[in-house]
Amino acid sequence: MKALPKLPAPFLLLLLLHILFLVLSLLPLKAASSPAAQAEALIAWKSSFSSPPPPSLDTWAHANLKNLCNWTAISCNPITKTVSQIDLSNLNISATLTQFNFTPFSNLTHFNLNANNFSGPVPSAIGTLSKLKTLDLGNNLFTQEIPEEIGVLTNVDYLSFFNNNLSGSIPYQLSNLQKVQFLLLGANYLETPDWSKFTSMPLLQYLDIYLNNLDSNFPDKFVSGCKNLTFLDLSQNSLTGEIPESAFTNLGKLEYLNLTNNQFQGALPAGFLKLKHLHLALNRFSGPIPVGIGLVSGLQRIDLLTNSLEGEIPSSMGQLRELQYLDLRNNSLNSSIPFELGFCTNLTYLALASNFLTGELPLSLSGLTNIVELGLSGNLLSGPIPPSLLSNWTEMVSLQLQNNSFSGSIPPEIGLLTKLSVLYLYQNKFTSSIPSEIGNLKDIADLDLSGNQLSGPIPMTMWSLTNLQSLQLFSNNLIGTIPTEIGNMVSLATFDVNTNELEGELPKNISLLTNLQTFSVFTNKLSGGIPSDFGKYSPGLAYAPANAFAWNPGLCGALEGLTACSSSGKKSNTNTNKILIGVFVPVCGLLLIAAAIALILIFRKKPKPLDVETKKLAFTMRVTDKSDVYSFGVVALEIVMGRHPGQMLESLSESSKTLKGDAELLLKDVLDQRLEPPTSELAEAVAFVVTLALACARAHPELRPTMRHVAQELSARTLPYLSEPFSALTINKLTGHKK
């Protein structure tokens, strides 16, 4: 046997020291990772919880020290008997990670704290868990920055910081995690990083950075390099610029794209042929909807709400046979509704409101037999509603056709839509009577037929709609009475039939409508008395405003210090100085002007200032998408004029830019001549109210202000200053049309 060669003494010494170092370094690691050390660390962590631990963690105890692998939320490696997984999700724990000793858990592969109340920072020591595959800290209260040390966890394939209070820029070291398939950073306060430092993540499938403070351009270099992405959510940030073409071509596997509520502009992204969900609402995209969208055959949801899209709704959309949800509201689309849209037979939600769509409803829409919600309001659509459509829409829950030019009668087939909860046909040109079949809508909660040319009596079947919460029939030509059957409408909160031809007395049992909040019958032919206990059993109604009963020929009655009477305008408020009026206006806020300004400030016969008891002067207005700004303008004008403003509005044609006739109409001549001319601040209030009302009643819907803008104007503390004498103000000047 050959003798081993002799090694130099210094080399032997160095070799021995190295071996010794390896042995010594392994000893504490083994000790630190022992089951006993891990159990002690978990018990110590539990004792630091700021609220009592859940009972399920009672197993974490010194008495149970040798049974670690059977503790709640703990899983062990079957060979080493050391902890491999900690899953404390959904246990409502209040604690921090700064009190957790990471050292004994070097072999941990899964760490899940999702859906608790963990707070404080994410410690940099988390970087010692080098074997982690799953790290889920989502849905907690973690603060401060994401530590850079996260970047050393190179075995992680699932990483979630979703829905915390994390701040600072996203660390570029995250892109070192080349095995990550799911990365969730959404719902924090994270800021824009230097995207140029990021490298692509080839295995990344799911990227969520929704609801943060990102304000850069589209992170093209990083995102477009993640070619296996199927899910991308960058919504609710402040990202800007155009979507680069490289994103279209590189992300060929993308199925879900959500860029909602950013500031992206330019053309719509296209070419994602495997997309199922496309969410681009609340941006600044412009131009047409690409014809090629019809090639993305798997699309199920398209949401392009509130952009600047124009042109046609492409007929190629008819090829999207799996489409269930289509929202194109609040754009500038100006075509007709394409016939081919009726081929999308899986549609359950179709929203095309607030565009410039023209023409009639295509009969092909009868193919939408699964439609549940249909919204076409605020367009230029015309013609009748084809009965064959209604016959096929039996699954419909919400039908909104308001603010168009639909005409003809309301088809009796409306009664086939027995699942309807919402029916809005207001501000159209419907004529004839209300079909009795509307009484078949037993689930209807919100019915608005106002602002049409409907005639005849309110059908008796309507009074049996016990689930009805809001009934709005104002500004029609309805006749007949309000029968005692109104007492059946036990859910009724809003009842508005103003500006019709109703007559007879108010039934006494309206006092029993305990959910009532708004009750308005002004400008009819009602007579008799207002029930003395009206409002007594309706805490939401509080006090009915006097003008809710005004301008009826013989309707009179006392209401908690108010006298509502309109016989030749002879009676007014009995309580001259202390005025108590509750106004509850869920639709358009018209009584806010009527009661607050027109009837309180403007039309007072006493010259001295009113002593308004501010604590009792309550005005409540809910401004919703349903708020009808046109009706607001018309009825506000009717209140200050004492008559319907129809003839005057017809003469104020937007196209002619001037009043018809030679003489300009003076504002003072338009006001109700039974009342004293306003002066001083009251004159300013009159001019302000009429100016706002005229703007709301403009002929073209796109020129009208929003109801939210109206509410803001009304809530302003000061009135605009009159630049010329009140007696010289003309209607033309108030509309901005000067000769």
Side-chain angles (χ1 to χ4, degrees):
M1 184 176 177
K2 266 188 177 180
L4 289 172
K6 286 188 177 182
L7 295 173
F11 183 80
L12 284 174
L13 180 60
L14 185 62
L15 181 62
L16 289 172
L17 287 173
H18 184 65
I19 294 171
L20 180 62
F21 174 77
L22 287 175
V23 171
L24 291 175
S25 63
L26 289 174
L27 287 175
L29 181 60
K30 184 178 180 181
S33 298
S34 68
Q38 291 178 336
E40 291 287 354
L42 291 173
I43 293 171
W45 187 33
K46 174 186 167 183
S47 67
S48 73
F49 290 1
S50 54
S51 61
S56 58
L57 295 188
D58 288 348
T59 54
W60 292 25
H62 284 101
N64 200 23
L65 205 61
K66 295 183 179 180
N67 200 23
L68 173 65
C69 295
N70 291 320
W71 285 11
T72 301
I74 299 298
S75 298
C76 289
N77 182 301
I79 298 174
T80 64
K81 305 299 182 183
T82 56
V83 176
S84 60
Q85 299 186 26
I86 300 176
D87 186 350
L88 294 172
S89 58
N90 296 289
L91 292 180
N92 198 31
I93 295 170
S94 296
T96 69
L97 266 182
T98 54
Q99 299 296 317
F100 180 70
N101 182 8
F102 291 88
T103 304
F105 299 96
S106 56
N107 293 319
L108 197 65
T109 58
H110 294 77
F111 195 25
N112 188 352
L113 305 181
N114 189 284
N116 284 287
N117 299 306
F118 283 96
S119 58
V122 178
S124 58
I126 202 166
T128 62
L129 305 181
S130 59
K131 295 186 179 179
L132 268 186
K133 292 184 176 180
T134 297
L135 176 59
D136 191 344
L137 305 182
N139 296 296
N140 280 288
L141 303 170
F142 288 113
T143 57
Q144 300 183 33
E145 299 183 354
I146 298 175
E148 296 176 359
E149 287 77 6
I150 287 289
V152 303
L153 304 180
T154 53
N155 288 306
V156 166
D157 56 25
Y158 183 97
L159 179 60
S160 175
F161 294 103
F162 181 80
N163 193 23
N164 280 282
N165 296 316
L166 297 166
S167 58
S169 63
I170 302 171
Y172 69 87
Q173 289 85 353
L174 281 177
S175 62
N176 294 339
L177 309 182
Q178 294 288 290
K179 294 183 180 179
V180 165
Q181 299 177 39
F182 295 85
L183 179 57
L184 289 75
L185 305 175
N188 282 286
Y189 300 94
L190 299 170
E191 298 172 1
T192 305
D194 182 351
W195 292 115
S196 66
K197 294 183 178 180
F198 278 70
T199 56
S200 60
M201 303 171 76
L203 300 183
L204 190 62
Q205 301 175 29
Y206 188 107
L207 177 59
D208 178 2
I209 319 182
Y210 132 93
L211 193 57
N212 277 285
N213 295 328
L214 305 183
D215 58 3
S216 66
N217 287 340
F218 185 86
D220 183 35
K221 179 186 175 185
F222 168 55
V223 172
S224 298
C226 302
K227 297 185 178 181
N228 279 300
L229 273 182
T230 60
F231 181 102
L232 176 60
D233 191 345
L234 302 177
S235 63
Q236 300 198 48
N237 282 284
S238 298
L239 296 166
T240 188
E242 299 186 8
I243 310 299
E245 190 173 344
S246 55
F248 309 162
T249 55
N250 289 357
L251 302 181
K253 296 183 178 180
L254 204 62
E255 297 179 359
Y256 180 101
L257 175 62
N258 193 345
L259 305 180
T260 299
N261 201 4
N262 279 284
Q263 298 173 30
F264 288 119
Q265 54 193 348
L268 286 179
F272 302 114
L273 295 182
K274 292 194 175 181
L275 266 188
K276 296 179 179 178
H277 287 232
L278 177 63
H279 301 274
L280 304 178
L282 299 165
N283 277 285
R284 299 175 181 175
F285 290 113
S286 57
I289 299 173
V291 174
I293 198 169
L295 300 176
V296 191
S297 58
L299 272 172
Q300 299 170 8
R301 292 176 69 94
I302 301 175
D303 186 357
L304 305 178
L305 162 73
T306 310
N307 279 282
S308 299
L309 303 173
E310 55 191 10
E312 299 184 350
I313 299 175
S315 59
S316 62
M317 277 193 170
Q319 301 172 37
L320 304 178
R321 304 303 168 85
E322 296 184 29
L323 194 63
Q324 302 169 24
Y325 182 106
L326 176 60
D327 192 345
L328 304 179
R329 288 176 294 162
N330 296 335
N331 281 286
S332 297
L333 301 170
N334 56 10
S335 67
S336 58
I337 298 174
F339 182 87
E340 292 81 1
L341 203 57
F343 301 154
C344 301
T345 54
N346 282 307
L347 269 178
T348 60
Y349 181 96
L350 175 59
L352 307 178
S354 300
N355 281 285
F356 298 97
L357 301 176
T358 57
E360 300 185 4
L361 295 179
L363 291 176
S364 64
L365 296 186
S366 61
L368 306 183
T369 55
N370 294 308
I371 196 75
V372 173
E373 295 185 55
L374 175 62
L376 305 177
S377 64
N379 280 288
L380 304 171
L381 298 168
S382 57
I385 300 177
S388 61
L389 296 186
L390 299 178
S391 300
N392 286 277
W393 289 346
T394 54
E395 296 299 311
M396 190 84 74
V397 171
S398 175
L399 177 59
Q400 302 188 30
L401 305 180
Q402 70 272 23
N403 286 311
N404 279 286
S405 295
F406 289 115
S407 57
S409 59
I410 299 173
E413 285 80 3
I414 196 74
L416 298 175
L417 278 58
T418 55
K419 296 182 181 180
L420 268 186
S421 175
V422 174
L423 177 59
Y424 295 158
L425 302 181
Y426 62 87
Q427 291 305 322
N428 278 287
K429 298 178 180 179
F430 290 114
T431 56
S432 192
S433 59
I434 300 172
S436 61
E437 288 82 359
I438 213 160
N440 296 337
L441 309 181
K442 301 302 182 183
D443 291 334
I444 195 79
D446 200 344
L447 175 60
D448 195 336
L449 308 179
S450 62
N452 283 285
Q453 301 163 29
L454 299 170
S455 58
I458 300 172
M460 286 298 297
T461 55
M462 187 178 287
W463 305 110
S464 64
L465 298 175
T466 56
N467 289 313
L468 197 59
Q469 298 172 24
S470 177
L471 176 59
Q472 311 222 39
L473 304 175
F474 62 84
S475 297
N476 279 290
N477 302 310
L478 300 173
I479 61 173
T481 62
I482 300 174
T484 57
E485 283 79 3
I486 192 175
N488 298 330
M489 306 173 86
V490 293
S491 301
L492 202 61
T494 297
F495 181 75
D496 193 340
V497 294
N498 78 71
T499 318
N500 279 287
E501 303 289 327
L502 300 175
E503 55 190 5
E505 297 187 2
L506 290 176
K508 290 182 172 54
N509 63 355
I510 62 172
S511 300
L512 301 179
L513 298 176
T514 57
N515 293 305
L516 208 56
Q517 296 179 17
T518 300
F519 188 87
S520 183
V521 295
F522 69 83
T523 315
N524 278 282
K525 297 179 180 179
L526 298 171
S527 58
I530 300 170
S532 58
D533 58 349
F534 179 60
K536 180 178 179 181
Y537 306 107
S538 304
L541 185 66
Y543 295 88
N547 61 316
F549 303 98
W551 292 304
N552 283 282
L555 182 61
C556 195
L559 292 172
E560 299 288 344
L562 283 175
T563 296
C565 193
S566 58
S567 299
S568 303
K570 292 178 181 177
K571 290 194 177 182
S572 60
N573 262 297
T574 57
N575 186 349
T576 309
N577 293 313
K578 303 281 186 179
I579 300 174
L580 176 56
I581 300 179
V583 183
F584 298 83
V585 190
V587 182
C588 60
L590 59 94
L591 297 181
L592 188 62
I593 280 185
I597 301 176
L599 294 180
I600 294 178
L601 295 178
I602 300 171
F603 300 119
R604 304 309 305 161
K605 295 199 173 184
K606 284 208 170 190
K608 70 176 184 178
L610 296 174
D611 176 16
V612 180
E613 193 167 335
T614 54
K615 287 186 179 179
K616 296 182 180 178
L617 190 57
F619 302 106
T620 301
M621 182 171 74
R622 290 182 294 165
V623 179
T624 68
D625 289 339
K626 181 181 175 294
S627 296
D628 181 0
V629 74
Y630 180 82
S631 292
F632 167 78
V634 171
V635 182
L637 288 171
E638 184 168 358
I639 289 168
V640 298
M641 293 172 62
R643 62 188 183 280
H644 195 280
Q647 187 174 357
M648 185 185 74
L649 291 176
E650 287 177 12
S651 68
L652 282 171
S653 168
E654 290 286 348
S655 58
S656 66
K657 301 296 182 186
T658 184
L659 282 171
K660 293 178 181 176
D662 297 328
E664 288 193 327
L665 199 58
L666 292 171
L667 173 58
K668 69 181 182 63
D669 295 332
V670 168
L671 300 181
D672 192 334
Q673 297 301 301
R674 298 171 296 180
L675 305 167
E676 292 182 5
T679 59
S680 187
E681 287 187 1
L682 304 184
E684 294 175 358
V686 172
F688 170 67
V689 170
V690 175
T691 301
L692 199 57
L694 287 169
C696 294
R698 285 172 177 151
H700 297 288
E702 68 271 17
L703 298 177
R704 299 168 194 159
T706 65
M707 200 63 233
R708 189 170 300 280
H709 173 78
V710 172
Q712 291 170 345
E713 289 289 307
L714 290 174
S715 63
R717 293 170 178 255
T718 59
L719 290 168
Y721 173 73
L722 291 182
S723 58
E724 55 190 296
F726 180 84
S727 60
L729 287 174
T730 65
I731 297 298
N732 261 355
K733 288 175 182 174
L734 296 182
T735 58
H737 300 160
K738 298 179 181 179
K739 276 193 172 181

